Structure formats: C-alpha cells, structure tokens
Amino acid sequence: MTLRINGALHTEAPRPGQCLRTFLRDLGWFGVKKGCDAGDCGACTVLLDGQPVHSCVTPAFRAGNREVTTIEGLAGPDGPHPMQRQFMEAQGFQCGFCTPGMVLTASTLDQAQRQDLSTAMKGNLCRCTGYRAIADAIAGVQHTEMADGGDAFGRSIAAPAGPAVVTGAARYTLDVPLPAGLLHLKLLRSPHAHARIISIDTTKALAIPGVHTVLTPADSPPRAFSTARHENPLDDPDDTRVLDDVVRFVGQRVAAVLADTEAAAEAGCRALLVDYQILPAVFDPEAAMQPGAPLLHADKGAEARIHDPHRNVVAEIHTATGDLAAGLAAADVVHTATYTTQRLHHAALETHAAIGWLNDACCLTIRSSTQTPFLTRRALADLFGLQPDRVRVLCERVGGGFGGKQEMLTEDIVALAVLRTGRPVRLEFTRREQFLAAPTRHPMQVDVTLGATRDGTLTAMQLRIVSNAGAYGNHSGGVLHHGSGECHEVYRCPNKRIDGYAVYTNTLPAGAFRGYGLSQTVFAVESAMDDLARKLNLDPFELRRCNIIGADAEMHGDVELGSYGLAQCLDLVEAALRRGNEAAPPDDTWQVGQGTALAMIHTIPPRGHFAEARISPRPDGGYELTVGTAEFGNGTTTVHTQIAAVVLGTTPAAIHIRQSDTALIGHDTGAFGSTGSVVAGMATQRAAAHLRDQLLDAATTRFGVDRADCRVVGDAVLAGESRVPIAELPATVGFGSSDGSPRSVAFNVHGFRVAVQPGTGEIRILQSVQAADAGRVINPMQCRGQVEGGAAQAIGAALYEMIRIDADGCVENPTFRGYHIPAWADLPPTEVLFADTNDSIGPFGAKSMSESPFNPVAPALANAVADATGARFRSLPLARDVVFRALHEPSG
Ligand code: FES
Ligand code: FES
C-alpha cells in the first residue's frame, strides 16, 4: 500500500485488520495517541486528506493512496501551524494527552464551526481542562505571559513542555521505539467475583505461534504487598500478590501471557484453561460486615495489617470530642439523613502502561505511567529482593493521573516477566481493562446527624461512614482517615463523633481519587448543612458563616493555619451569585435555584511527604534543575522553573528541568496529595537558595565586598560595581529538601445557579463559580486551569458519571460511551476567583490547589437543585431519570 504520511511517500503493508492508529504508531508517529480504541475520545485523531478521523476505528488500508497528517506533520516550513501556536499561547492543555487530536481537529474548523464548538469538537474529549482553555486557544486568546529576570512569581508563564506537547514531540510512557526482542504481555482476567484457582492448563496457549511464556500464580513471589503507594508502606494492608490463587473480583489478574505480538498474547490468554472453585461473594459493605458474610481475606494474619479480616473490615476509625448526647440534647433542631456517593472512574486519557527491561548493567528498568516512581522502585526492590540501586523507575510525561496512578498496577507484573525472561516486556491496559481493574473512587454511605440551636449554632455533629474498599485494601485506610477529617473540622462544634469503616467486598478495588475521600464526605456534610439551614429557616451562607472556623482556629498535629481565606471565599461566591450572569432558563417552565458548598483541605498528606531538588549552573548561562516529582498535567514543572527563577534572578526559560527518574535524584514521595508545588516546590526553593548563597559567598570572597552588596542576576553575580559571570566562579551545586511538615490548609467554595426542567429531569447549569484560597498564586493561568478542570470533573461526577456493577459483580459500562465523561456540550464555564492570602508555610506564600476544587462541587449542585425544586437528592449522580422520578413520584 502506498500513502503519504506528513508529506512523505511511504510504501508499507498494514497487517490484516490493522487500524490506522497502530499502523502509524508502528511507523514511529507517536503523536497518535490511544485513549479508548473505540472511537469515543479523539486522542487518536489524524487528518485523512485534510479531514479529521479517529484512526483507531479507521482501517489502515483506507489510507491507501491518500494523505495522512499526524500532529508531527501539521507544522509548515515556517514553523508551527497557527493552531499549535494558539494552543501554546492560551495554554490549551494540562497533561497534553488529548492535545494532538484537539489541535488537529481544531485546525480544520471553518468560521461557522468555530461558532459551535460543542458540535464541531464533540469527538475530542479532554479530562483535564474543562475545555475553557481549549476554547480560548481556538479563539486565539493569549493567556501566557513573559517574565524578566527574577519577576516570574505571579505570572502566567507558559509550560516549558508546551512546544513539545502541541507538536507531538512530548514523550508519554509508550512513545518510544520498541526494543529488540520485546515481548508483549497480556493478562487473563477473572470472570468470577470470588473463586479459588484449582489449576491452569497452559498447554494450548504455549502451542500458539509467538507465545513465549505463561506466568501463573505458581510464578508469583510469595510476598504480599499493596498496590497503593505511600511514603510509609505500612499505611496499607499487604493483601495483594502479583498473581494470586484466589480471585476476589471480576477482572482480577489470573495469568499473564508473553508473546512476540499483542495478537499472539491475546490468543494465548483465550487458550488458557482455568479450573475455578467458585466461592460465595458479597458486594454490599454493610452486608459484608455482618456475621456469616463471605470473608475475602480471612486467610491472612496480623502481618497483613488488616483491621479485622473476620468482619471484612480493612480499617476502622472512631473519634469523639465533647459529649455528643449533650450536644443533641441542647439542640433546638436535629437533622439526620443518609447520603451516598457512587463509584467513579478516573478516566485519565492515557491508560496504565509500562515497559521493562534489563539495562547493560542488568539493572531492572521500568518506564511507566506513574505518579510515584520512587515509591514504585522501593516496592519492586522489596517484592523481588533486589537492592534499590538495581532498580530504576522513570516516567517522562504522564497522560493524566487524578490519583489513579498512585498505584502499582503494571510495574510488578512487567518486572516479574522481565526477570523471568530476561527480555524487554511491554504492557498497556486497554480502556476496558482500565474500567474493569484499575481502582476507582470509594463509594461511600454517610449517615449525618447535625444538631443546632435556633440561631444556627451547631451543638452536635455525628458521622457514620461506610466506605466500599472493593476486593483489596489499597488506600482504603488513608481515604477513610482523610474523608473523616476536614469535612467536619472546618466547622466549630463542641460535640462531635465520627465512626468510619472501610470494608472489603467482591468488587473492583477502590483507590486514591482526586479529593482522597473528602469529595464523598463533603457531599454528605454540605448537603446536610443545607438541609439544616432549611429546617432552621436560615440562609445557607449565614449558617455556614455562623459555624466555620476562623483565622484563629487551633489545628491539630502538624497542621497550622498558615493563612486563612475561607470567609473571603464565601463572600466572593455569594457576591458572584448575587450579581448573577447572562444565562437564563430556556423558558418559564424551568425551576431555578442556587446552592453553595465549602470545603477545606490540608495542603499536604499526613505522616511525611519528602522531596529533594538539585540545581547547578549550566555553561550556557542557564541552570539545570533536577526534581523527583512527576508531571501529569498538574503544572508543577512550570511552577518549579518559576520558583527557581525568582530565587536566582533569572527567567523561567533559563531553568532546564529534569524530573521523575529514580536515577537522577535521591528521593521524592511522589506527585500526589497536591504536593508538587508545596513540597517539591519548597525543595526547589531551598535548592535554588542554597546555590544562590554559595554564589554570593564566592563573589564576596573574590571581590572583598559586603555580602549585602552582592546579588545573583541571571547568569552573573553583581558584586558592588563588579559583575562576574557565574561560569567564572567555582563550580557549585545547590541542594534542597522538604519533609512536608508543617502543613497548611486551603479552602474552596463553589456556587451554582441552576435550572431544572420538571418535565424531563434535566439540570442546566446557568452559573458556576468557585472561589479558591490558594495562598499567593504562583501561576494564575495554571491555577485557574486546575480549578476549572477539577470543577469540570466534579460536574460529571455530580450529574452522570458512575461505574455500574451488576448482580454478579461485573462492571456493566466499561467504555467511555457507556460511562460518559463530560464532553464540550456538557460543561458550563466556571468563573474562578482567588482569595487574597499569603501562606506562611508554602513556597513564597503559595498553597496547593489541584485536588481540592473537586470537593465542594457536587453538594453545591445538589443544594442548587433542592433550592430549585424543593426535592433533596441524597445520592449521586443526579441523573436525569432520577430527578424526573423524584419530581413525579410522591415517594421521591
Ligand atoms: S483512541 Fe481513538 S477515539 Fe479514543
Ligand atoms: S489535557 Fe486534555 S486529557 Fe489531559
């Protein structure tokens, strides 16, 4: 077959049945991404004779005698295509995994299509941005700013990776040439929710041409571990094996087949004969705690650190302050209700993937899509009995995480395969596998009791939280702990009682998800506060103001109020809602209402979060900054260059960053818990200051001038009247570290004005506004993008996203099409407002702001719907049919 790819003539024959996406990637065009392989997401978009197509559902042979343009071929001889430039100038991306497809589709739009982007761009999904920044890019709006030497703080500096992201040169996990001798790994997954594997007959699989090896539970290291990655491995129960002889959810790994091609590996999986002994299963966490319920991990001893394996309880929390009974007795009004939140899919566009090999020194090397390369290295070394310096884990750019990649889901089985075969091994999850087996948000049921006096003063708060851990306990203790914290700590109330249970069930495991437990409990508490306000006949804003902590609040442990902007956030949102906006309901049959909710979050996870940074001058006058934290769209790379540039009196462009590779630097706990700016950023600030101080010392000595008369300015030190290039001073390196303590507190308040159509149950968002207390904002464009993206993801979670599990424990909707993440047409713009605060703990007064914008969105929306309709929805999502039924059935 002959075709033109990016202007060059190719004569290549695709494999029978091969799609255009894999055909192009096989030829090295890595800008062609995979998000779903089902025509749903647009990550694989290319132009075929100038028209955008989803290459994953386009047979490769259809490109014969035609012109294919991938993102790499969009630029002209004079430089980037205008749309590529516009995406850079508006910063129309975060992780950038959707960007090649977005840019290609946008490059074809005519004026009429640009007026209706919801239709024109409906085939391209973005999980990170909420689309506003992309719409700005298409409209040619410029958001990025330049900075002169030393004044980068507070400016909307462009991400250093921008040019690579918009041209397709940015390398994600699998965007590397396939090494010689590569084996493809495919996993056979359990069709049963609970079963013991009696035997696996591999004979037929091994007879398939190209199949090299089959790994079964007999090949697995005996050691149990947790897929969750935390600084302290004891935070999670050791209840998982690489391959186990008991399967505890539909989709669990049963065996791995290694073959020369993916097709042979898949055929090998289908040819395995597995004899299962079916065991009773339990899917409901309340039922799982009852006597006689099927037990998932009763075979494990104390070394597994499971709270009570004989009740399926992974973790349990009981805390109390004051006297709850007295608080309830003192209340004039008591509100009690149960609120439930559903299972959510992270939907990072890049699926989990890893490539492993032994390097020339026989060191196990894993390139993976991870938020935690250093913790993954440690886990692999422990699991396989290797010295840590015999294991290297790295990632370049990660295509979205949202907590889902704070997990070791591919690296362990790839490492086992590499060590067993001595050959390079590649594993890439399909989107279906991502739905079936990658961790989700923990579904929770929260019983809330609130007591208050007539004037709205809270006298009692009680929460009982039951969290569905799924089949394994990864993150369940931490999520329960976090979920049962800040949601009520934000309120002053003398009498509180919190009981929480994280419970095993035979469903796919839950894990870390943006908000880490708080989005579920904030939904419960903030909905209940609104319910209480109605019972008291008080304005919900006033009820909150009456009870929130103030700037003088005493915090616990190593948490300090480094700054306080909650009251400001409430004022900002209330004023914005009062001001309203242009949007009106379609007609007067729609019911209109408004709602709000607030959330507090500790800026750093507890119990230690560590980061190291190193910076040194380069011969070209710039600096090389090395950090461990990973970049997956959270923008920390940009922030690090800004911080270092400010300290060294230079421009962010002069800071060249290397990151997320265990071979480069000592340690970094990882890019989770919103720590990229405040922990790793603090390490960078200290490293830059350490380097600056050494340079100043050297100049002081050389010129004999006062230290106070010296300063670093870009590539030189000014010493009194003299100027010395840094290259002429003795070689120096700056080191910095941070241990993530003390921790500060950030706040978010969201407000909605909505219209509800009682005839259909449809909810339309007329106004969406979020105020964020992010301390001093290092990069307003990026910070606004984090809030917009978090709000967008949370709107999907509030209105329709849900992983549905059938009566046999099977995921019913394992596709983007069946799950529905927000597309262009689904999202309103969210106005973002910042409180004016300056944090005493974070770098240059900044606070974290990446997961917290998610947390107040769902309750604010439910409160607005209750205001509009009078119907209170205590379960998520607020799907149209649910709303319709509630408005039309007397029982609700
Ligand atoms: S990968 Fe082709 S549409 Fe998603
Ligand atoms: S930037 Fe669009 S998916 Fe990440």
Side-chain angles (χ1 to χ4, degrees), residues 21 33-45 54-57 123 816:
R21 182 186 75 76
K33 306 298 186 201
K34 182 197 86 172
C36 66
D37 262 355
D40 293 337
C41 76
C44 62
T45 301
H54 289 171
S55 62
C56 69
V57 289
F816 275 152

Side-chain angles (χ1 to χ4, degrees), residues 635-864:
T636 51
T637 312
T638 322
V639 165
H640 284 246
T641 62
Q642 287 179 257
I643 290 172
V646 169
V647 175
L648 294 165
T650 190
T651 62
I655 309 294
H656 302 266
I657 190 164
R658 299 200 301 159
Q659 61 194 133
S660 53
D661 183 342
T662 60
L664 292 179
I665 195 142
H667 185 67
D668 187 283
T669 298
F672 63 87
S674 304
T675 52
S677 298
V678 292
V679 180
M682 183 59 84
T684 290
Q685 184 183 356
R686 289 173 178 156
H690 182 223
L691 174 63
R692 179 198 59 202
D693 291 348
Q694 294 175 74
L695 294 171
L696 293 178
D697 286 345
T700 304
T701 307
R702 179 156 167 181
F703 294 104
V705 295
D706 247 22
R707 172 81 182 265
D709 293 330
C710 297
R711 64 197 169 95
V712 178
V713 181
D715 60 354
V717 179
L718 302 184
E721 300 298 308
S722 306
R723 178 181 186 281
V724 57
I726 286 169
E728 292 179 15
L729 293 171
T732 47
V733 180
F735 294 98
S737 64
S738 172
D739 62 4
S741 185
R743 302 179 288 144
S744 190
V745 176
F747 301 97
N748 299 77
V749 176
H750 204 102
F752 281 111
R753 203 158 58 83
V754 302
V756 182
Q757 173 49 259
T760 62
E762 182 185 353
I763 297 169
R764 283 209 193 159
I765 296 171
L766 304 177
Q767 185 180 8
S768 169
V769 55
Q770 182 163 138
D773 173 18
R776 285 183 74 208
V777 177
I778 298 175
N779 186 319
M781 171 184 67
Q782 280 196 175
C783 198
R784 180 165 71 129
Q786 288 297 312
V787 177
E788 289 173 340
Q793 198 177 21
I795 287 170
L799 292 182
Y800 36 75
E801 290 187 36
M802 179 174 184
I803 294 181
R804 296 192 302 271
I805 308 271
D806 71 14
D808 298 318
C810 212
V811 174
E812 286 184 322
N813 54 339
T815 62
F816 275 152
R817 198 162 299 190
Y819 178 78
H820 185 181
I821 67 171
W824 284 75
D826 297 317
L827 290 174
T830 289
E831 182 184 4
V832 179
L833 307 165
F834 292 116
D836 182 11
T837 58
N838 185 354
D839 199 64
S840 62
I841 295 172
F844 292 120
K847 298 198 275 195
S848 53
M849 189 52 59
S850 53
E851 54 183 332
S852 61
F854 190 98
N855 297 337
V857 171
L861 204 40
N863 293 341

Side-chain angles (χ1 to χ4, degrees), residues 48-358:
L48 198 53
D49 289 341
Q51 289 305 308
V53 297
H54 289 171
S55 62
C56 69
V57 289
T58 304
F61 74 81
R62 290 232 179 106
N65 299 318
R66 299 175 76 178
E67 173 81 40
V68 176
T69 307
T70 72
I71 191 68
E72 293 94 335
L74 192 63
D78 301 328
H81 185 279
M83 195 53 70
Q84 291 173 309
R85 197 171 28 73
Q86 287 168 221
F87 266 71
M88 275 192 282
E89 291 173 350
Q91 201 84 95
F93 62 88
Q94 287 181 20
C95 81
F97 203 76
C98 69
T99 308
M102 286 283 179
V103 171
L104 282 165
T105 304
S107 72
T108 67
L109 302 184
D110 59 26
Q111 278 309 321
Q113 289 171 309
R114 285 173 189 230
Q115 302 310 310
D116 182 11
L117 291 178
S118 294
T119 303
M121 299 295 293
K122 69 180 181 192
N124 291 80
L125 296 178
C126 175
R127 188 52 155 173
C128 302
T129 62
Y131 302 104
R132 194 274 314 158
I134 300 175
D136 284 355
I138 294 172
V141 177
Q142 171 151 9
H143 290 301
T144 54
E145 296 178 83
M146 302 296 283
D148 295 328
D151 73 345
F153 193 93
R155 291 187 183 274
S156 294
I157 303 297
V165 167
V166 303
T167 58
R171 294 285 175 243
Y172 296 82
T173 311
L174 298 180
D175 296 343
V176 288
L178 301 182
L182 181 79
L183 291 171
H184 295 266
L185 191 157
K186 286 286 175 184
L187 293 160
L188 177 70
R189 296 188 177 277
S190 169
H192 304 296
H194 200 185
R196 185 175 305 283
I197 297 170
I198 305 298
S199 64
I200 301 178
D201 185 345
T202 62
T203 316
K204 286 186 177 166
L206 289 169
I208 292 173
V211 171
H212 184 275
T213 307
V214 178
L215 300 173
T216 70
D219 300 291
S220 180
R223 178 159 185 177
F225 64 101
S226 173
T227 59
R229 303 274 45 88
H230 280 119
E231 180 62 39
N232 184 352
L234 304 182
D235 282 354
D236 301 283
D238 286 339
D239 56 7
T240 304
R241 289 184 63 208
V242 178
L243 292 166
D244 205 337
D245 54 9
V246 175
V247 286
R248 298 177 175 87
F249 69 98
V250 175
Q252 182 172 328
R253 300 168 182 176
V254 171
V257 177
L258 292 144
D260 294 332
T261 63
E262 281 189 272
E266 282 169 0
C269 286
R270 287 193 296 273
L272 291 171
L273 295 174
V274 186
D275 186 11
Y276 295 100
Q277 176 196 357
I278 308 294
L279 301 172
V282 61
F283 304 116
D284 175 68
E286 291 281 9
M289 285 192 284
Q290 299 308 312
L295 297 175
L296 277 80
H297 293 281
D299 55 329
K300 304 201 168 53
E303 73 287 350
R305 298 184 306 283
I306 297 167
H307 180 77
D308 186 351
H310 301 289
R311 283 193 303 134
N312 287 317
V313 175
V314 189
E316 199 168 311
I317 283 178
H318 303 282
T319 62
T321 52
D323 182 339
L324 183 74
L328 289 171
D332 295 316
V333 172
V334 172
H335 168 72
T336 301
T338 298
Y339 303 83
T340 60
T341 50
Q342 78 280 38
R343 191 184 296 273
L344 294 176
H345 184 57
H346 297 82
L349 225 47
E350 181 196 34
T351 59
H352 287 273
I355 304 179
W357 66 94
L358 296 173

